[in-house]
Amino acid sequence: GILTNSSLMLEDLEPDHPWREDVQTIVDETLRCRKIVKGLLDFARQTKPQRTLLQMNEVVEDVLALVRNQTVFRSIRITNHLDPALPTVLADADQMRQVVLNIVLNAAEAMAHGGDLRVFSHVDAHAKTVEVRFADTGPGIPEEVRAHIFEPFFTTKRTGTGLGLSIAYGIMERHHGALRVDSAAGQGTAFTIVLPSLEAAVS
């Protein structure tokens, strides 16, 4: 109700109206509250994965197709190096899309002035895992920050909730997988999704 009414008020106000800045603040802060509440609900819900046979290459391609035309990605070059022989996994498709989307959006925010996002997929036959790696050319994550990035409510962003990566980390744990990060200040960041291969999952 607050967001709807303040948005309608904003539409009716002239550009130079003395209330316009205050009403814009109400709209912006209400949107921020909505984002925080959604994050809290997602974090608290932590639903059990509904596992089906899933091809992670398709999940990656679906998410990248969704975000490519967004403004934040216009200065970012995305290249795929997806293994066409990547085996299927047992995983919840919606939850995997949520993990991939979170990683990709974090990469875009880290490269606000442009850069490269390279996506790789491969199978580790020895570990019996399927892995998808997202490597960006952003500023990297300092060691003191990297140690806390999966903690709930930890964020270095002015408008962040600190829940995105912790939710993604929890999803991967419930899939008996992992979410790894490799980064150093000034050297970019790489997040890797690790899932048990179908052979390992059913054994």
Side-chain angles (χ1 to χ4, degrees):
I2 295 171
L3 180 59
T4 300
N5 284 286
S6 58
S7 297
L8 290 172
M9 287 178 63
L10 193 63
E11 290 177 6
D12 292 339
L13 293 176
E14 296 296 329
D16 58 348
H17 196 285
W19 293 355
R20 187 173 183 85
E21 185 176 343
D22 291 335
V23 175
Q24 182 67 63
T25 299
I26 294 171
V27 172
D28 293 344
E29 291 302 300
T30 307
L31 287 169
R32 189 170 69 89
C33 287
R34 184 173 70 177
K35 180 180 178 182
I36 292 170
V37 170
K38 182 182 182 302
L40 287 167
L41 289 172
D42 288 342
F43 183 71
R45 194 172 293 122
Q46 296 188 355
T47 54
K48 184 178 180 180
Q50 302 299 310
R51 292 183 177 86
T52 59
L53 289 176
L54 188 65
Q55 172 51 256
M56 284 301 294
N57 284 349
E58 294 178 3
V59 172
V60 170
E61 289 170 346
D62 287 349
V63 172
L64 293 180
L66 179 69
V67 303
R68 277 183 190 275
N69 294 324
Q70 292 187 16
T71 303
V72 70
F73 284 89
R74 288 181 183 168
S75 59
I76 296 172
R77 183 173 61 180
I78 303 174
T79 54
N80 292 351
H81 307 274
L82 304 179
D83 181 354
L86 196 72
T88 56
V89 294
L90 274 175
D92 184 307
D94 288 338
Q95 292 188 9
M96 286 301 107
R97 290 189 190 98
Q98 184 177 359
V99 173
V100 171
L101 181 60
N102 187 276
I103 293 171
V104 169
L105 291 177
N106 270 278
E109 291 179 4
M111 298 185 290
H113 301 294
D116 293 291
L117 176 62
R118 297 183 296 276
V119 188
F120 306 84
S121 68
H122 73 279
V123 60
D124 185 328
H126 178 71
K128 296 183 180 179
T129 57
V130 168
E131 302 186 1
V132 185
R133 180 179 175 89
F134 302 81
D136 68 49
T137 56
I141 305 172
E143 184 178 354
E144 63 273 15
V145 174
R146 194 169 65 250
H148 300 284
I149 60 170
F150 296 126
E151 295 177 5
F153 307 109
F154 177 83
T155 182
T156 58
K157 303 172 189 174
R158 187 176 62 85
T159 59
T161 63
L163 289 171
L165 285 175
S166 62
I167 290 171
Y169 188 85
I171 288 172
M172 295 312 303
E173 282 196 323
R174 291 192 294 280
H175 279 80
H176 307 293
L179 182 57
R180 298 198 302 249
V181 59
D182 298 294
S183 184
Q187 297 181 22
T189 300
F191 283 95
T192 304
I193 293 170
V194 182
L195 285 163
S197 65
L198 185 59
E199 176 188 359
V202 299
S203 62

